[in-house]
DNA sequence: GAGATTATGGCAGCGTCTGACAATTGACAA
DNA sequence: TTGTCAATTGTCAGACGCTGCCATAATCTC
């Protein structure tokens, strides 16, 4: 099998081979993100990343499908933790309230998954880099739309609805995802703001979802 | 100047050179879209497009910044016609109603701009190709977010608001754009449906925007 | 028609990414 | 310990996207 594989259920000690692979992968991620932050995404070649991680360029492509993928390696953790947080929301909450709660709590536990591989500050720098690099922003938006689809399924499940018949879950996630995108963009634009500021922007924008759809804005 | 240039105000007869450039550009677009439809986007090389259009590969890149750009050449017309339609909506309409009206009317006048370069059926095939090709879908979403930003400015202007202070225009466009995306995806998935079906999906989903944000979905 | 502009073609080269093959390394059993 | 098998890795060659540079050919201006 290849370098990426799901950890089987009956794995006692990971074994030397597994540990080495994991270490190589983490090293590649760290070297890549550091180089990206240092000299930008486009001006960092795969050869440079491979050299910094002390592997051949060919090996890089055995761990990541492309240069883009390594930039999003940590976003994977963030997204799956968001999905997990939604599943754990109490069933009594309304769909929108559940989403709102999930995003706020998942931000809190973010440091645990990410911090073990890369300093948190570097991760946030990477996020701003994604937002400001056209090629990466495009991929980011596509990934977000995939997350939206997963979340729409979860909302439909919570409410006992059929996604094919009822458009509300997808419409809700379209609106919610849109707010998340705008939030991320505004947050990224204002330099090195921290988590607290991000929570403030998110809640403020979510609160405006209803008013924005109202007929008359002059009240 | 390069091949692409804004038509100056005082151009009487376009001149042979201008006509030739326009023809080359249209030919490149037509050849590219036909090849894309025939054998897919990724398996169509720039060399093949250039050969079909009877120009050198080097010339192709003088008309388009990349292979992606030619795939979106016609989307440009669609988007700008949408923006123009919004500007022409009566000021009395609510923001959401104006957006809804603009998208519906701009679909109607779509055939005029596009049809002169490429058969409308090919254009719709191209749209479905964009939706189903990951690399193109990513770029498509980024372009949509740029359109959203332009439309948010227009809405803010209509309502006499300051975009930096009032988040409602961006929130509205985030929700509206999200619905447009979901609509396009669903429409693309169900094969060769026509314009009528597309209008039906759009209006049905827009009507669900309010209900989707409601507290209780079981009514 | 002469000269200035501009589009085009050809070429060399960089960077991303892939397939094929050989060499190395870890896993496991005799 | 040693031999065997499988997995990981490095090397090489090459396709493809894209760009800079310069010479050529077409068009425009006078």
């Amino acid at each position: 099998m290849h370098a990426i594989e799901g950890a089987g259920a009956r794995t006692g000690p990971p074994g030397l081979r597994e540990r080495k692979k994991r270490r190589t992968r983490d090293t590649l991620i760290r070297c890549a993100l550091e180089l990206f932050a240092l000299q930008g995404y486009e001006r960092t070649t795969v050869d440079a990343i491979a050299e910094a991680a002390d592997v051949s360029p060919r090996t890089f492509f055995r761990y990541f499908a492309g240069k883009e993928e390594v930039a999003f390696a940590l976003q994977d953790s963030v997204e799956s933790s968001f999905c997990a947080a939604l599943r754990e929301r109490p069933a009594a909450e309304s769909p929108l309230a559940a989403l709102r709660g999930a995003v706020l709590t998942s931000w809190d536990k973010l440091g645990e998954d990410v911090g073990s591989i890369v300093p948190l500050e570097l991760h946030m720098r990477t996020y701003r880099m994604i937002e400001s690099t056209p090629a990466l922003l495009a991929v980011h938006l596509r990934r977000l739309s995939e997350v939206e689809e997963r979340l729409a399924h979860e909302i439909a499940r919570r409410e006992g609805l059929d996604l094919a018949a009822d458009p509300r879950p997808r419409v809700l996630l379209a609106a919610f995802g849109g707010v998340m995108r705008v939030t991320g963009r505004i947050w990224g634009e204002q330099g090195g703001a921290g988590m607290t500021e991000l929570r403030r922007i998110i809640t403020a924008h979510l609160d405006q979802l209803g008013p924005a759809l109202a007929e008359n804005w002059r009240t």
Side-chain angles (χ1 to χ4, degrees), chain A:
Chain A
M1 222 185 169
H2 263 183
I4 299 95
E5 60 180 28
R10 50 181 66 262
T11 48
L16 175 57
R17 194 169 256 164
E18 295 300 321
R19 275 181 289 141
K20 210 168 188 176
K21 272 198 305 186
R22 166 141 218 136
R23 195 153 33 102
T24 305
R25 187 183 146 87
D26 291 354
T27 304
L28 279 170
I29 294 176
R30 197 168 352 98
C31 292
L33 297 192
E34 280 168 1
L35 286 173
F36 290 161
L38 206 62
Q39 54 189 355
Y41 174 75
E42 352 231 21
R43 288 189 309 185
T44 302
T45 66
V46 172
D47 286 27
I49 300 171
E51 191 174 3
D54 200 43
V55 295
S56 79
R58 190 65 184 85
T59 295
F60 174 89
F61 289 105
R62 290 200 173 92
Y63 282 85
F64 302 99
K67 199 173 81 165
E68 287 168 359
E69 198 173 291
V70 69
F72 291 98
L74 298 184
Q75 299 286 333
D76 282 335
S77 315
V78 179
E79 288 161 8
S80 58
S81 110
F82 181 28
C83 293
L86 178 63
R87 277 191 294 272
E88 290 167 5
R89 300 305 297 182
E93 278 182 328
S94 77
L96 181 54
L99 287 170
R100 183 190 183 119
V103 68
L104 289 179
T105 64
S106 77
W107 284 125
D108 290 338
K109 313 184 307 177
L110 187 143
E112 304 166 13
D113 310 318
V114 173
S116 61
I117 303 177
V118 161
L120 210 65
E121 199 275 338
L122 180 57
H123 177 244
M124 286 166 66
R125 267 189 82 163
T126 302
Y127 181 79
R128 286 198 292 275
M129 176 193 74
I130 290 172
E131 288 273 351
S132 60
T133 306
L136 293 181
L137 176 58
V139 176
H140 182 53
L141 294 176
R142 180 170 53 76
R143 291 168 53 92
L144 284 185
S145 81
E146 289 163 5
V147 175
E148 280 179 29
E149 181 67 13
R150 292 216 302 275
L151 295 175
H153 275 88
E154 173 61 18
I155 292 292
R157 193 194 60 76
R158 277 171 63 98
E159 300 289 321
L161 298 174
D162 178 17
L163 250 192
D166 195 327
R168 283 179 298 174
R170 284 209 179 93
V171 170
L172 172 63
L173 263 299
F176 184 83
V179 170
M180 294 282 290
R181 268 177 15 234
V182 171
T183 299
R185 191 164 63 76
I186 292 178
W187 178 75
E189 279 170 3
Q190 51 180 60
M195 283 298 183
T196 317
E197 177 65 4
L198 199 145
R199 294 170 69 97
R200 196 191 61 74
I201 302 178
I202 281 190
T203 53
H205 279 73
L206 283 178
D207 288 338
Q208 293 299 317
L209 247 178
L213 298 176
E215 280 298 306
N216 192 350
W217 281 14
R218 305 179 188 84
T219 50

